[in-house]
Amino acid sequence: MPRFSRFSLFSFLVLAVGASLNPSASEAKPTLNPEQSEAKPRVVEAKPRVSAKIKAPGFSRALKFTGEPRLSQLTDQLQWHNVYWPSARLCTPALQQKLNARKAGIIAQLQLLATVYKNDDQQALAGATQALTEQVKRWPLWAHFAKAGEQGMQPAVIAANVQQNWLLQHQQQPYFLTVGDQPQQIHWVGLTKQAGSYAFSSQPLIDWLASRQQAQLTNPEFVWEVTLNGSINQVGLYPHNSNNEYLQPGAVLFSGYQPGDLPDGFKNTNAELVDLLRYWQPG
């Protein structure tokens, strides 16, 4: 058996303990990957781009914004132009598509109503409804964001009130802002033989219609008036129910069905047609 000196044994123990505390040259040292060893760069998201078009008398402009603009950034483009702000409308293609679909649904409803009248041998109402159906197809409707009674714009109010200074979200672009001149006409539609546009005259509505009563196909006691700001009023046609309403420029008058003439399932026809007229395109 080999003999070891005390010095040799001590040296051996030192080497063994050192080997256990220090990694050998053959063991790979842990390394950091590039993402750990360097600070990860910040990713800056690109701001959405929003496009808009403005059309007014003598003015047309296409705009592109980096980021989502406010409505005032469109109305400011017309601050030096003489336009009639109550006629202003803000539209998008998606909004117009929804309005077109709604109009198509009402047209289909009128076609069905005409068939019901025909099957019930109410030929006068069937013919009037068929004529109304063709008329509605030609109604110039333009979608917009405003609620009833709040249509049109006031740039000073928009700039001062963030609730009216809408954020134009990029998901709904492109935007179309149209503004016209002060209208010089009124429009009469519905169950009338004289549907069309007429020169505006400042006179009581009851007087304006007095000479045209025979043109109404259902002889109702009132007509609906849809004003330029989207307000809807029922206007009496006789002294006992008239509140002396005056004609308003750009208004649309609607002669509807007598409530008793509408069968079950069609009771809301007048209201649906009148609400559709809120989108009558000014001008």
mmCIF file of all heavy atoms in Angstrom, residues 180-230:
data_model
loop_
_atom_site.group_PDB
_atom_site.id
_atom_site.type_symbol
_atom_site.label_atom_id
_atom_site.label_comp_id
_atom_site.label_asym_id
_atom_site.label_seq_id
_atom_site.Cartn_x
_atom_site.Cartn_y
_atom_site.Cartn_z
ATOM 1 N N GLY A 180 -74.581 73.506 -47.337
ATOM 2 C CA GLY A 180 -75.179 74.172 -48.489
ATOM 3 C C GLY A 180 -75.518 75.626 -48.214
ATOM 4 O O GLY A 180 -75.222 76.188 -47.164
ATOM 5 N N ASP A 181 -76.168 76.235 -49.204
ATOM 6 C CA ASP A 181 -76.714 77.583 -49.039
ATOM 7 C C ASP A 181 -78.039 77.492 -48.278
ATOM 8 O O ASP A 181 -78.595 76.407 -48.088
ATOM 9 C CB ASP A 181 -76.972 78.220 -50.402
ATOM 10 C CG ASP A 181 -75.682 78.536 -51.151
ATOM 11 O OD1 ASP A 181 -74.718 78.975 -50.491
ATOM 12 O OD2 ASP A 181 -75.650 78.343 -52.382
ATOM 13 N N GLN A 182 -78.531 78.626 -47.849
ATOM 14 C CA GLN A 182 -79.849 78.632 -47.224
ATOM 15 C C GLN A 182 -80.879 78.180 -48.252
ATOM 16 O O GLN A 182 -80.953 78.723 -49.359
ATOM 17 C CB GLN A 182 -80.221 80.017 -46.709
ATOM 18 C CG GLN A 182 -81.571 80.052 -46.013
ATOM 19 C CD GLN A 182 -81.825 81.369 -45.303
ATOM 20 O OE1 GLN A 182 -80.966 82.242 -45.285
ATOM 21 N NE2 GLN A 182 -82.994 81.526 -44.711
ATOM 22 N N PRO A 183 -81.673 77.157 -47.929
ATOM 23 C CA PRO A 183 -82.626 76.643 -48.915
ATOM 24 C C PRO A 183 -83.695 77.668 -49.258
ATOM 25 O O PRO A 183 -84.130 78.447 -48.398
ATOM 26 C CB PRO A 183 -83.221 75.404 -48.225
ATOM 27 C CG PRO A 183 -82.901 75.550 -46.786
ATOM 28 C CD PRO A 183 -81.694 76.404 -46.675
ATOM 29 N N GLN A 184 -84.110 77.633 -50.484
ATOM 30 C CA GLN A 184 -85.141 78.539 -50.974
ATOM 31 C C GLN A 184 -86.399 77.774 -51.369
ATOM 32 O O GLN A 184 -87.266 78.327 -52.048
ATOM 33 C CB GLN A 184 -84.613 79.319 -52.187
ATOM 34 C CG GLN A 184 -83.376 80.144 -51.901
ATOM 35 C CD GLN A 184 -83.622 81.216 -50.850
ATOM 36 O OE1 GLN A 184 -84.676 81.863 -50.842
ATOM 37 N NE2 GLN A 184 -82.664 81.406 -49.955
ATOM 38 N N GLN A 185 -86.496 76.519 -50.920
ATOM 39 C CA GLN A 185 -87.632 75.687 -51.294
ATOM 40 C C GLN A 185 -88.191 74.966 -50.071
ATOM 41 O O GLN A 185 -87.534 74.854 -49.036
ATOM 42 C CB GLN A 185 -87.210 74.641 -52.331
ATOM 43 C CG GLN A 185 -86.802 75.203 -53.682
ATOM 44 C CD GLN A 185 -86.399 74.110 -54.648
ATOM 45 O OE1 GLN A 185 -85.745 73.132 -54.269
ATOM 46 N NE2 GLN A 185 -86.797 74.254 -55.906
ATOM 47 N N ILE A 186 -89.423 74.489 -50.232
ATOM 48 C CA ILE A 186 -89.988 73.499 -49.332
ATOM 49 C C ILE A 186 -90.396 72.302 -50.188
ATOM 50 O O ILE A 186 -90.484 72.410 -51.423
ATOM 51 C CB ILE A 186 -91.202 74.046 -48.552
ATOM 52 C CG1 ILE A 186 -92.304 74.473 -49.533
ATOM 53 C CG2 ILE A 186 -90.801 75.178 -47.641
ATOM 54 C CD1 ILE A 186 -93.610 74.826 -48.830
ATOM 55 N N HIS A 187 -90.630 71.182 -49.559
ATOM 56 C CA HIS A 187 -90.915 69.947 -50.299
ATOM 57 C C HIS A 187 -92.178 69.312 -49.727
ATOM 58 O O HIS A 187 -92.361 69.256 -48.510
ATOM 59 C CB HIS A 187 -89.729 68.987 -50.195
ATOM 60 C CG HIS A 187 -88.406 69.637 -50.437
ATOM 61 N ND1 HIS A 187 -87.905 69.868 -51.704
ATOM 62 C CD2 HIS A 187 -87.481 70.144 -49.567
ATOM 63 C CE1 HIS A 187 -86.734 70.481 -51.610
ATOM 64 N NE2 HIS A 187 -86.460 70.655 -50.326
ATOM 65 N N TRP A 188 -93.024 68.836 -50.623
ATOM 66 C CA TRP A 188 -94.272 68.184 -50.214
ATOM 67 C C TRP A 188 -94.269 66.779 -50.785
ATOM 68 O O TRP A 188 -94.154 66.594 -52.007
ATOM 69 C CB TRP A 188 -95.460 68.985 -50.735
ATOM 70 C CG TRP A 188 -96.788 68.544 -50.180
ATOM 71 C CD1 TRP A 188 -97.005 67.759 -49.083
ATOM 72 C CD2 TRP A 188 -98.076 68.876 -50.693
ATOM 73 N NE1 TRP A 188 -98.345 67.582 -48.866
ATOM 74 C CE2 TRP A 188 -99.037 68.267 -49.842
ATOM 75 C CE3 TRP A 188 -98.527 69.631 -51.768
ATOM 76 C CZ2 TRP A 188 -100.416 68.384 -50.050
ATOM 77 C CZ3 TRP A 188 -99.887 69.762 -51.970
ATOM 78 C CH2 TRP A 188 -100.821 69.138 -51.124
ATOM 79 N N VAL A 189 -94.366 65.780 -49.896
ATOM 80 C CA VAL A 189 -94.302 64.382 -50.320
ATOM 81 C C VAL A 189 -95.404 63.600 -49.613
ATOM 82 O O VAL A 189 -96.129 64.118 -48.779
ATOM 83 C CB VAL A 189 -92.923 63.763 -49.988
ATOM 84 C CG1 VAL A 189 -91.812 64.487 -50.721
ATOM 85 C CG2 VAL A 189 -92.656 63.761 -48.480
ATOM 86 N N GLY A 190 -95.492 62.318 -49.963
ATOM 87 C CA GLY A 190 -96.477 61.443 -49.325
ATOM 88 C C GLY A 190 -97.668 61.196 -50.223
ATOM 89 O O GLY A 190 -97.548 61.130 -51.450
ATOM 90 N N LEU A 191 -98.833 61.065 -49.603
ATOM 91 C CA LEU A 191 -100.053 60.740 -50.334
ATOM 92 C C LEU A 191 -100.674 62.025 -50.883
ATOM 93 O O LEU A 191 -101.684 62.538 -50.391
ATOM 94 C CB LEU A 191 -101.035 60.014 -49.408
ATOM 95 C CG LEU A 191 -100.525 58.672 -48.865
ATOM 96 C CD1 LEU A 191 -101.517 58.073 -47.873
ATOM 97 C CD2 LEU A 191 -100.263 57.693 -50.001
ATOM 98 N N THR A 192 -100.056 62.536 -51.908
ATOM 99 C CA THR A 192 -100.519 63.751 -52.563
ATOM 100 C C THR A 192 -100.266 63.638 -54.060
ATOM 101 O O THR A 192 -99.273 63.036 -54.491
ATOM 102 C CB THR A 192 -99.814 65.002 -52.010
ATOM 103 O OG1 THR A 192 -100.121 66.124 -52.847
ATOM 104 C CG2 THR A 192 -98.309 64.823 -51.981
ATOM 105 N N LYS A 193 -101.158 64.230 -54.831
ATOM 106 C CA LYS A 193 -100.982 64.228 -56.280
ATOM 107 C C LYS A 193 -99.996 65.300 -56.730
ATOM 108 O O LYS A 193 -99.603 65.328 -57.897
ATOM 109 C CB LYS A 193 -102.336 64.480 -56.963
ATOM 110 C CG LYS A 193 -103.378 63.411 -56.707
ATOM 111 C CD LYS A 193 -104.707 63.783 -57.340
ATOM 112 C CE LYS A 193 -105.779 62.752 -57.045
ATOM 113 N NZ LYS A 193 -107.113 63.131 -57.605
ATOM 114 N N GLN A 194 -99.623 66.188 -55.831
ATOM 115 C CA GLN A 194 -98.739 67.289 -56.192
ATOM 116 C C GLN A 194 -97.408 67.204 -55.451
ATOM 117 O O GLN A 194 -96.835 68.221 -55.047
ATOM 118 C CB GLN A 194 -99.429 68.630 -55.897
ATOM 119 C CG GLN A 194 -100.661 68.873 -56.749
ATOM 120 C CD GLN A 194 -101.277 70.244 -56.516
ATOM 121 O OE1 GLN A 194 -100.722 71.090 -55.829
ATOM 122 N NE2 GLN A 194 -102.445 70.469 -57.107
ATOM 123 N N ALA A 195 -96.903 66.024 -55.270
ATOM 124 C CA ALA A 195 -95.607 65.859 -54.609
ATOM 125 C C ALA A 195 -94.537 66.569 -55.425
ATOM 126 O O ALA A 195 -94.504 66.497 -56.657
ATOM 127 C CB ALA A 195 -95.269 64.379 -54.484
ATOM 128 N N GLY A 196 -93.664 67.288 -54.738
ATOM 129 C CA GLY A 196 -92.596 67.997 -55.430
ATOM 130 C C GLY A 196 -92.016 69.085 -54.561
ATOM 131 O O GLY A 196 -92.310 69.201 -53.373
ATOM 132 N N SER A 197 -91.199 69.928 -55.178
ATOM 133 C CA SER A 197 -90.549 71.040 -54.488
ATOM 134 C C SER A 197 -91.187 72.343 -54.915
ATOM 135 O O SER A 197 -91.522 72.528 -56.100
ATOM 136 C CB SER A 197 -89.045 71.055 -54.805
ATOM 137 O OG SER A 197 -88.429 69.861 -54.352
ATOM 138 N N TYR A 198 -91.328 73.255 -53.949
ATOM 139 C CA TYR A 198 -91.997 74.522 -54.196
ATOM 140 C C TYR A 198 -91.147 75.660 -53.642
ATOM 141 O O TYR A 198 -90.416 75.487 -52.662
ATOM 142 C CB TYR A 198 -93.379 74.548 -53.515
ATOM 143 C CG TYR A 198 -94.349 73.527 -54.059
ATOM 144 C CD1 TYR A 198 -94.314 72.207 -53.617
ATOM 145 C CD2 TYR A 198 -95.290 73.877 -55.016
ATOM 146 C CE1 TYR A 198 -95.204 71.262 -54.109
ATOM 147 C CE2 TYR A 198 -96.188 72.942 -55.521
ATOM 148 C CZ TYR A 198 -96.132 71.633 -55.059
ATOM 149 O OH TYR A 198 -97.011 70.709 -55.559
ATOM 150 N N ALA A 199 -91.259 76.831 -54.277
ATOM 151 C CA ALA A 199 -90.539 78.002 -53.795
ATOM 152 C C ALA A 199 -91.029 78.364 -52.392
ATOM 153 O O ALA A 199 -92.232 78.333 -52.116
ATOM 154 C CB ALA A 199 -90.749 79.182 -54.741
ATOM 155 N N PHE A 200 -90.081 78.662 -51.530
ATOM 156 C CA PHE A 200 -90.428 79.003 -50.160
ATOM 157 C C PHE A 200 -91.138 80.351 -50.109
ATOM 158 O O PHE A 200 -90.759 81.301 -50.800
ATOM 159 C CB PHE A 200 -89.165 79.065 -49.293
ATOM 160 C CG PHE A 200 -89.389 79.697 -47.952
ATOM 161 C CD1 PHE A 200 -90.081 79.028 -46.965
ATOM 162 C CD2 PHE A 200 -88.929 80.976 -47.692
ATOM 163 C CE1 PHE A 200 -90.306 79.617 -45.727
ATOM 164 C CE2 PHE A 200 -89.140 81.575 -46.460
ATOM 165 C CZ PHE A 200 -89.831 80.890 -45.475
ATOM 166 N N SER A 201 -92.172 80.416 -49.287
ATOM 167 C CA SER A 201 -92.842 81.693 -49.032
ATOM 168 C C SER A 201 -93.192 81.733 -47.549
ATOM 169 O O SER A 201 -93.642 80.743 -46.982
ATOM 170 C CB SER A 201 -94.106 81.840 -49.874
ATOM 171 O OG SER A 201 -95.039 80.817 -49.578
ATOM 172 N N SER A 202 -92.954 82.874 -46.937
ATOM 173 C CA SER A 202 -93.193 83.007 -45.503
ATOM 174 C C SER A 202 -94.668 83.278 -45.260
ATOM 175 O O SER A 202 -95.131 84.427 -45.275
ATOM 176 C CB SER A 202 -92.339 84.145 -44.934
ATOM 177 O OG SER A 202 -92.571 84.287 -43.557
ATOM 178 N N GLN A 203 -95.411 82.183 -45.042
ATOM 179 C CA GLN A 203 -96.833 82.318 -44.779
ATOM 180 C C GLN A 203 -97.266 81.137 -43.919
ATOM 181 O O GLN A 203 -96.568 80.128 -43.826
ATOM 182 C CB GLN A 203 -97.628 82.344 -46.094
ATOM 183 C CG GLN A 203 -97.540 81.064 -46.901
ATOM 184 C CD GLN A 203 -98.315 81.136 -48.190
ATOM 185 O OE1 GLN A 203 -97.746 81.086 -49.265
ATOM 186 N NE2 GLN A 203 -99.628 81.250 -48.095
ATOM 187 N N PRO A 204 -98.411 81.256 -43.256
ATOM 188 C CA PRO A 204 -98.879 80.135 -42.454
ATOM 189 C C PRO A 204 -99.062 78.889 -43.312
ATOM 190 O O PRO A 204 -99.540 78.972 -44.454
ATOM 191 C CB PRO A 204 -100.213 80.628 -41.890
ATOM 192 C CG PRO A 204 -100.096 82.118 -41.893
ATOM 193 C CD PRO A 204 -99.284 82.438 -43.117
ATOM 194 N N LEU A 205 -98.694 77.768 -42.748
ATOM 195 C CA LEU A 205 -98.795 76.515 -43.499
ATOM 196 C C LEU A 205 -100.228 76.215 -43.897
ATOM 197 O O LEU A 205 -100.496 75.722 -45.002
ATOM 198 C CB LEU A 205 -98.227 75.375 -42.647
ATOM 199 C CG LEU A 205 -98.270 73.974 -43.230
ATOM 200 C CD1 LEU A 205 -97.577 73.926 -44.587
ATOM 201 C CD2 LEU A 205 -97.611 72.986 -42.273
ATOM 202 N N ILE A 206 -101.165 76.530 -43.005
ATOM 203 C CA ILE A 206 -102.571 76.249 -43.314
ATOM 204 C C ILE A 206 -103.026 77.030 -44.547
ATOM 205 O O ILE A 206 -103.822 76.535 -45.355
ATOM 206 C CB ILE A 206 -103.469 76.561 -42.087
ATOM 207 C CG1 ILE A 206 -104.899 76.118 -42.342
ATOM 208 C CG2 ILE A 206 -103.407 78.020 -41.720
ATOM 209 C CD1 ILE A 206 -105.790 76.259 -41.112
ATOM 210 N N ASP A 207 -102.513 78.262 -44.721
ATOM 211 C CA ASP A 207 -102.869 79.053 -45.902
ATOM 212 C C ASP A 207 -102.221 78.468 -47.145
ATOM 213 O O ASP A 207 -102.821 78.445 -48.231
ATOM 214 C CB ASP A 207 -102.429 80.510 -45.718
ATOM 215 C CG ASP A 207 -103.200 81.209 -44.609
ATOM 216 O OD1 ASP A 207 -104.264 80.689 -44.204
ATOM 217 O OD2 ASP A 207 -102.730 82.264 -44.132
ATOM 218 N N TRP A 208 -100.968 78.010 -47.007
ATOM 219 C CA TRP A 208 -100.264 77.461 -48.166
ATOM 220 C C TRP A 208 -100.967 76.219 -48.695
ATOM 221 O O TRP A 208 -101.057 76.000 -49.903
ATOM 222 C CB TRP A 208 -98.824 77.133 -47.760
ATOM 223 C CG TRP A 208 -97.943 76.756 -48.915
ATOM 224 C CD1 TRP A 208 -97.230 77.596 -49.720
ATOM 225 C CD2 TRP A 208 -97.678 75.430 -49.388
ATOM 226 N NE1 TRP A 208 -96.533 76.876 -50.670
ATOM 227 C CE2 TRP A 208 -96.793 75.534 -50.482
ATOM 228 C CE3 TRP A 208 -98.097 74.159 -49.001
ATOM 229 C CZ2 TRP A 208 -96.322 74.433 -51.198
ATOM 230 C CZ3 TRP A 208 -97.635 73.052 -49.702
ATOM 231 C CH2 TRP A 208 -96.754 73.198 -50.785
ATOM 232 N N LEU A 209 -101.494 75.420 -47.768
ATOM 233 C CA LEU A 209 -102.145 74.175 -48.182
ATOM 234 C C LEU A 209 -103.616 74.357 -48.555
ATOM 235 O O LEU A 209 -104.229 73.460 -49.153
ATOM 236 C CB LEU A 209 -102.047 73.133 -47.069
ATOM 237 C CG LEU A 209 -100.685 72.459 -46.886
ATOM 238 C CD1 LEU A 209 -100.668 71.624 -45.623
ATOM 239 C CD2 LEU A 209 -100.352 71.586 -48.088
ATOM 240 N N ALA A 210 -104.182 75.510 -48.213
ATOM 241 C CA ALA A 210 -105.625 75.704 -48.421
ATOM 242 C C ALA A 210 -106.019 75.488 -49.875
ATOM 243 O O ALA A 210 -107.054 74.882 -50.166
ATOM 244 C CB ALA A 210 -106.031 77.100 -47.953
ATOM 245 N N SER A 211 -105.188 76.006 -50.789
ATOM 246 C CA SER A 211 -105.519 75.870 -52.213
ATOM 247 C C SER A 211 -105.092 74.529 -52.790
ATOM 248 O O SER A 211 -105.288 74.277 -53.975
ATOM 249 C CB SER A 211 -104.840 76.993 -53.007
ATOM 250 O OG SER A 211 -103.419 76.893 -52.870
ATOM 251 N N ARG A 212 -104.521 73.684 -51.939
ATOM 252 C CA ARG A 212 -104.012 72.401 -52.428
ATOM 253 C C ARG A 212 -104.665 71.216 -51.737
ATOM 254 O O ARG A 212 -104.199 70.086 -51.864
ATOM 255 C CB ARG A 212 -102.490 72.350 -52.222
ATOM 256 C CG ARG A 212 -101.726 73.440 -52.969
ATOM 257 C CD ARG A 212 -100.248 73.398 -52.631
ATOM 258 N NE ARG A 212 -99.474 74.318 -53.445
ATOM 259 C CZ ARG A 212 -99.296 75.615 -53.173
ATOM 260 N NH1 ARG A 212 -99.849 76.146 -52.087
ATOM 261 N NH2 ARG A 212 -98.584 76.380 -53.964
ATOM 262 N N GLN A 213 -105.731 71.451 -51.005
ATOM 263 C CA GLN A 213 -106.354 70.374 -50.250
ATOM 264 C C GLN A 213 -106.809 69.234 -51.153
ATOM 265 O O GLN A 213 -106.733 68.067 -50.785
ATOM 266 C CB GLN A 213 -107.567 70.905 -49.466
ATOM 267 C CG GLN A 213 -107.196 71.747 -48.251
ATOM 268 C CD GLN A 213 -106.514 70.912 -47.174
ATOM 269 O OE1 GLN A 213 -105.302 70.726 -47.196
ATOM 270 N NE2 GLN A 213 -107.292 70.401 -46.246
ATOM 271 N N GLN A 214 -107.277 69.577 -52.336
ATOM 272 C CA GLN A 214 -107.781 68.540 -53.225
ATOM 273 C C GLN A 214 -106.667 67.613 -53.712
ATOM 274 O O GLN A 214 -106.941 66.527 -54.226
ATOM 275 C CB GLN A 214 -108.496 69.181 -54.432
ATOM 276 C CG GLN A 214 -109.706 70.020 -54.065
ATOM 277 C CD GLN A 214 -110.748 69.223 -53.305
ATOM 278 O OE1 GLN A 214 -111.040 68.084 -53.645
ATOM 279 N NE2 GLN A 214 -111.312 69.832 -52.258
ATOM 280 N N ALA A 215 -105.424 68.045 -53.547
ATOM 281 C CA ALA A 215 -104.311 67.218 -54.017
ATOM 282 C C ALA A 215 -103.989 66.087 -53.056
ATOM 283 O O ALA A 215 -103.303 65.138 -53.420
ATOM 284 C CB ALA A 215 -103.063 68.087 -54.216
ATOM 285 N N GLN A 216 -104.472 66.185 -51.798
ATOM 286 C CA GLN A 216 -104.188 65.133 -50.834
ATOM 287 C C GLN A 216 -105.091 63.932 -51.096
ATOM 288 O O GLN A 216 -106.303 64.075 -51.267
ATOM 289 C CB GLN A 216 -104.363 65.646 -49.408
ATOM 290 C CG GLN A 216 -103.394 66.785 -49.090
ATOM 291 C CD GLN A 216 -103.314 67.038 -47.611
ATOM 292 O OE1 GLN A 216 -102.559 66.384 -46.917
ATOM 293 N NE2 GLN A 216 -104.092 67.990 -47.127
ATOM 294 N N LEU A 217 -104.514 62.782 -51.086
ATOM 295 C CA LEU A 217 -105.240 61.579 -51.480
ATOM 296 C C LEU A 217 -106.059 60.988 -50.343
ATOM 297 O O LEU A 217 -106.979 60.210 -50.586
ATOM 298 C CB LEU A 217 -104.248 60.529 -52.002
ATOM 299 C CG LEU A 217 -103.445 60.952 -53.240
ATOM 300 C CD1 LEU A 217 -102.447 59.875 -53.625
ATOM 301 C CD2 LEU A 217 -104.380 61.231 -54.410
ATOM 302 N N THR A 218 -105.746 61.303 -49.110
ATOM 303 C CA THR A 218 -106.464 60.700 -47.978
ATOM 304 C C THR A 218 -107.197 61.730 -47.123
ATOM 305 O O THR A 218 -107.853 61.367 -46.161
ATOM 306 C CB THR A 218 -105.475 59.933 -47.075
ATOM 307 O OG1 THR A 218 -104.465 60.837 -46.626
ATOM 308 C CG2 THR A 218 -104.823 58.793 -47.846
ATOM 309 N N ASN A 219 -107.050 63.017 -47.460
ATOM 310 C CA ASN A 219 -107.752 64.100 -46.763
ATOM 311 C C ASN A 219 -107.594 64.022 -45.245
ATOM 312 O O ASN A 219 -108.576 64.009 -44.501
ATOM 313 C CB ASN A 219 -109.249 64.079 -47.128
ATOM 314 C CG ASN A 219 -109.944 65.367 -46.692
ATOM 315 O OD1 ASN A 219 -109.329 66.429 -46.669
ATOM 316 N ND2 ASN A 219 -111.218 65.263 -46.339
ATOM 317 N N PRO A 220 -106.358 63.974 -44.736
ATOM 318 C CA PRO A 220 -106.169 63.952 -43.284
ATOM 319 C C PRO A 220 -106.416 65.326 -42.677
ATOM 320 O O PRO A 220 -106.514 66.325 -43.384
ATOM 321 C CB PRO A 220 -104.699 63.556 -43.138
ATOM 322 C CG PRO A 220 -104.054 64.118 -44.359
ATOM 323 C CD PRO A 220 -105.088 64.011 -45.463
ATOM 324 N N GLU A 221 -106.505 65.371 -41.356
ATOM 325 C CA GLU A 221 -106.710 66.638 -40.679
ATOM 326 C C GLU A 221 -105.395 67.340 -40.366
ATOM 327 O O GLU A 221 -105.409 68.466 -39.866
ATOM 328 C CB GLU A 221 -107.498 66.427 -39.382
ATOM 329 C CG GLU A 221 -108.938 66.003 -39.619
ATOM 330 C CD GLU A 221 -109.770 66.082 -38.355
ATOM 331 O OE1 GLU A 221 -109.203 66.422 -37.288
ATOM 332 O OE2 GLU A 221 -110.978 65.827 -38.441
ATOM 333 N N PHE A 222 -104.310 66.708 -40.633
ATOM 334 C CA PHE A 222 -103.011 67.329 -40.370
ATOM 335 C C PHE A 222 -101.964 66.757 -41.312
ATOM 336 O O PHE A 222 -102.175 65.715 -41.952
ATOM 337 C CB PHE A 222 -102.585 67.127 -38.903
ATOM 338 C CG PHE A 222 -102.541 65.682 -38.489
ATOM 339 C CD1 PHE A 222 -101.423 64.893 -38.741
ATOM 340 C CD2 PHE A 222 -103.625 65.111 -37.849
ATOM 341 C CE1 PHE A 222 -101.387 63.566 -38.362
ATOM 342 C CE2 PHE A 222 -103.598 63.778 -37.461
ATOM 343 C CZ PHE A 222 -102.481 63.010 -37.718
ATOM 344 N N VAL A 223 -100.863 67.457 -41.407
ATOM 345 C CA VAL A 223 -99.689 66.953 -42.115
ATOM 346 C C VAL A 223 -98.523 66.968 -41.128
ATOM 347 O O VAL A 223 -98.584 67.620 -40.084
ATOM 348 C CB VAL A 223 -99.329 67.812 -43.355
ATOM 349 C CG1 VAL A 223 -100.430 67.766 -44.387
ATOM 350 C CG2 VAL A 223 -98.992 69.240 -42.948
ATOM 351 N N TRP A 224 -97.485 66.238 -41.459
ATOM 352 C CA TRP A 224 -96.255 66.278 -40.676
ATOM 353 C C TRP A 224 -95.283 67.249 -41.343
ATOM 354 O O TRP A 224 -95.166 67.299 -42.568
ATOM 355 C CB TRP A 224 -95.599 64.906 -40.612
ATOM 356 C CG TRP A 224 -96.266 63.937 -39.681
ATOM 357 C CD1 TRP A 224 -95.958 63.691 -38.374
ATOM 358 C CD2 TRP A 224 -97.336 63.040 -39.997
ATOM 359 N NE1 TRP A 224 -96.760 62.711 -37.854
ATOM 360 C CE2 TRP A 224 -97.625 62.292 -38.836
ATOM 361 C CE3 TRP A 224 -98.093 62.796 -41.150
ATOM 362 C CZ2 TRP A 224 -98.614 61.319 -38.792
ATOM 363 C CZ3 TRP A 224 -99.079 61.834 -41.109
ATOM 364 C CH2 TRP A 224 -99.336 61.112 -39.943
ATOM 365 N N GLU A 225 -94.602 68.006 -40.516
ATOM 366 C CA GLU A 225 -93.562 68.912 -40.998
ATOM 367 C C GLU A 225 -92.227 68.472 -40.392
ATOM 368 O O GLU A 225 -92.094 68.362 -39.169
ATOM 369 C CB GLU A 225 -93.855 70.356 -40.607
ATOM 370 C CG GLU A 225 -92.786 71.339 -41.078
ATOM 371 C CD GLU A 225 -92.960 72.717 -40.465
ATOM 372 O OE1 GLU A 225 -93.360 72.798 -39.279
ATOM 373 O OE2 GLU A 225 -92.691 73.705 -41.161
ATOM 374 N N VAL A 226 -91.255 68.225 -41.250
ATOM 375 C CA VAL A 226 -89.899 67.880 -40.813
ATOM 376 C C VAL A 226 -89.017 69.068 -41.156
ATOM 377 O O VAL A 226 -88.801 69.378 -42.327
ATOM 378 C CB VAL A 226 -89.379 66.606 -41.498
ATOM 379 C CG1 VAL A 226 -88.003 66.223 -40.942
ATOM 380 C CG2 VAL A 226 -90.363 65.452 -41.303
ATOM 381 N N THR A 227 -88.514 69.764 -40.143
ATOM 382 C CA THR A 227 -87.727 70.965 -40.376
ATOM 383 C C THR A 227 -86.271 70.618 -40.677
ATOM 384 O O THR A 227 -85.841 69.471 -40.537
ATOM 385 C CB THR A 227 -87.787 71.897 -39.153
ATOM 386 O OG1 THR A 227 -87.160 71.239 -38.042
ATOM 387 C CG2 THR A 227 -89.225 72.231 -38.806
ATOM 388 N N LEU A 228 -85.530 71.649 -41.041
ATOM 389 C CA LEU A 228 -84.141 71.439 -41.438
ATOM 390 C C LEU A 228 -83.290 70.899 -40.282
ATOM 391 O O LEU A 228 -82.314 70.181 -40.504
ATOM 392 C CB LEU A 228 -83.547 72.755 -41.957
ATOM 393 C CG LEU A 228 -82.295 72.661 -42.827
ATOM 394 C CD1 LEU A 228 -82.548 71.842 -44.084
ATOM 395 C CD2 LEU A 228 -81.811 74.052 -43.196
ATOM 396 N N ASN A 229 -83.659 71.213 -39.055
ATOM 397 C CA ASN A 229 -82.884 70.712 -37.917
ATOM 398 C C ASN A 229 -83.367 69.348 -37.432
ATOM 399 O O ASN A 229 -82.899 68.836 -36.413
ATOM 400 C CB ASN A 229 -82.889 71.720 -36.761
ATOM 401 C CG ASN A 229 -84.222 71.769 -36.032
ATOM 402 O OD1 ASN A 229 -85.216 71.201 -36.474
ATOM 403 N ND2 ASN A 229 -84.259 72.477 -34.914
ATOM 404 N N GLY A 230 -84.327 68.758 -38.170
ATOM 405 C CA GLY A 230 -84.768 67.403 -37.853
ATOM 406 C C GLY A 230 -85.933 67.321 -36.898
ATOM 407 O O GLY A 230 -86.357 66.227 -36.520
#
